[in-house]
Amino acid sequence: MKLGFIGTGALTSAIVTGLKSVAKNPAPILLSPRSESISADLAARYPDVRVADDNQAVLDGCDTVMLGVRPQVAHEVLSGLRFRRDHHVVSLIATVSREEIAALAAPAECVTKALPMPMIARGQGATIICPPDRSMAALFGSLGKAIEVESSGEFDAMSVVTATYATYFKYLETIHAWLKGQGVPDDKGRDYIATLFKALAQAPDTKPDADFTHLAADYATRGGINEQVLRELTSRGMFEALAESLDGVHRRILAD
Ligand SMILES: NC(=O)c1ccc[n+]([C@@H]2O[C@H](COP(=O)([O-])OP(=O)(O)OC[C@H]3O[C@@H](n4cnc5c(N)ncnc54)[C@H](OP(=O)(O)O)[C@@H]3O)[C@@H](O)[C@H]2O)c1
């Protein structure tokens, strides 16, 4: 595989870093020259990563091309390029449909959407891939987990999950702030919370057949303190409010 990237920003940088430092992927990589400091830095760090003269030179020098520009400029950038029929086009552009990319990348016949996350740089997290694509599942699977989905409906719904990260950290921050209010030193509270939640995050792996309700039930002993917090937050509508926010994000993704 000769891999090219059009758009060398935060996400491309994370993928290239992951491929070269975690997966030790031998595929040569060609980067578009915009964001000069990022592309030059990647080329300096890894011997088989080069910066092309322009976007067309990236396309001409690769067989697989990842599109990492922002949605606002996607149409303008792609419509000026000459794709080949045998290019494998992998769009990372979150809010532009596969059909739109396929039209812009014609006559390329193989067009895939992928949604990796920045933690891919450390070989962590999961990448959603649509439609199922063996070579991309292998590539992204070498950097965490690859989850292939059949339909754009499934892809769009799963992408809503990525809107919940900040809320997760706000949840941890609320616990941390409460501990500080009790006089617990900042670093000890942070260490304790981070270590406990890291262990909790592993529970689905240790019990692969248990759904999340069962995992919650494992901790919500009747009459116990976990049951108390769960019951109180449920009765205040916290989880209904979360589900409504997910609906709102979904509507926004579908409208884009
Ligand atoms: N970051 C994430 O967590 C994340 C997660 C999932 C999906 N995505 C998707 O990934 C895409 C990239 O996101 P990002 O966070 O990496 O954005 P970013 O850091 O802003 O990178 C966008 C890159 O596109 C370059 N660019 C702009 N116009 C160009 C042109 N005409 N030719 C070539 N390159 C051009 C920019 O260069 P300049 O800096 O020189 O303008 C920049 O290097 C987006 O479509 C986003 O939806 C991002």
Side-chain angles (χ1 to χ4, degrees):
M1 178 189 289
K2 287 183 191 160
L3 187 56
F5 287 84
I6 305 279
T8 312
L11 191 57
T12 292
S13 174
I15 297 170
V16 173
T17 301
L19 282 174
K20 293 302 175 193
S21 62
V22 181
K24 309 270 189 245
N25 187 303
I29 290 178
L30 208 45
L31 302 171
S32 59
R34 287 276 296 262
S35 282
E36 206 182 328
S37 61
I38 300 179
S39 45
D41 176 58
L42 290 169
R45 266 196 282 154
Y46 307 111
D48 47 2
V49 175
R50 285 193 304 114
V51 183
D53 289 341
D54 55 30
N55 291 339
Q56 189 60 49
V58 173
L59 278 187
D60 295 345
C62 75
D63 48 52
T64 302
V65 61
M66 297 207 184
L67 308 178
V69 292
R70 291 196 174 173
Q72 297 85 339
V73 299
H75 197 279
E76 179 198 329
V77 173
L78 301 182
S79 57
L81 296 174
R82 292 181 308 282
F83 287 83
R84 297 191 309 269
R85 189 174 295 277
D86 66 336
H87 270 133
H88 184 172
V89 178
V90 182
S91 174
L92 311 169
I93 307 169
T95 54
V96 181
S97 73
R98 180 175 166 271
E99 289 69 28
E100 282 174 81
I101 296 294
L104 289 164
E109 286 175 348
C110 183
V111 178
T112 306
K113 270 198 76 164
L115 186 63
M117 289 290 124
M119 54 277 226
I120 199 166
R122 304 189 302 275
Q124 293 175 350
T127 298
I128 322 169
I129 296 166
C130 181
D133 175 328
R134 195 185 294 178
S135 67
M136 283 306 112
L139 184 143
F140 287 112
S142 69
L143 294 174
K145 182 167 280 199
I147 299 182
E148 298 171 275
V149 303
E150 301 287 339
S151 72
S152 57
E154 220 179 317
F155 185 93
D156 290 340
M158 285 180 78
S159 66
V160 171
V161 175
T162 66
T164 60
Y165 303 161
T167 307
Y168 167 75
F169 284 112
K170 180 67 187 172
Y171 182 86
L172 300 192
E173 194 264 332
T174 304
I175 302 169
H176 191 203
W178 184 87
L179 272 187
K180 279 195 272 187
Q182 305 306 307
V184 176
D186 198 332
D187 55 343
K188 279 192 189 145
R190 186 184 188 281
D191 193 22
Y192 188 52
I193 294 165
T195 307
L196 287 185
F197 278 82
K198 207 186 290 174
L200 285 176
Q202 285 167 6
D205 284 341
T206 57
K207 286 194 168 182
D209 297 327
D211 61 25
F212 292 117
T213 307
H214 285 101
L215 293 175
D218 277 354
Y219 290 97
T221 313
R222 226 165 147 189
I225 56 176
N226 267 271
E227 190 209 42
Q228 178 183 343
V229 175
L230 180 59
R231 176 171 29 80
E232 289 174 3
L233 293 183
T234 304
S235 72
R236 287 187 196 184
M238 174 169 155
F239 302 106
E240 272 173 24
L242 175 61
E244 280 170 25
S245 280
L246 298 180
D247 280 341
V249 172
H250 195 207
R251 281 193 296 276
R252 186 170 154 190
I253 286 177
L254 295 179
D256 274 335

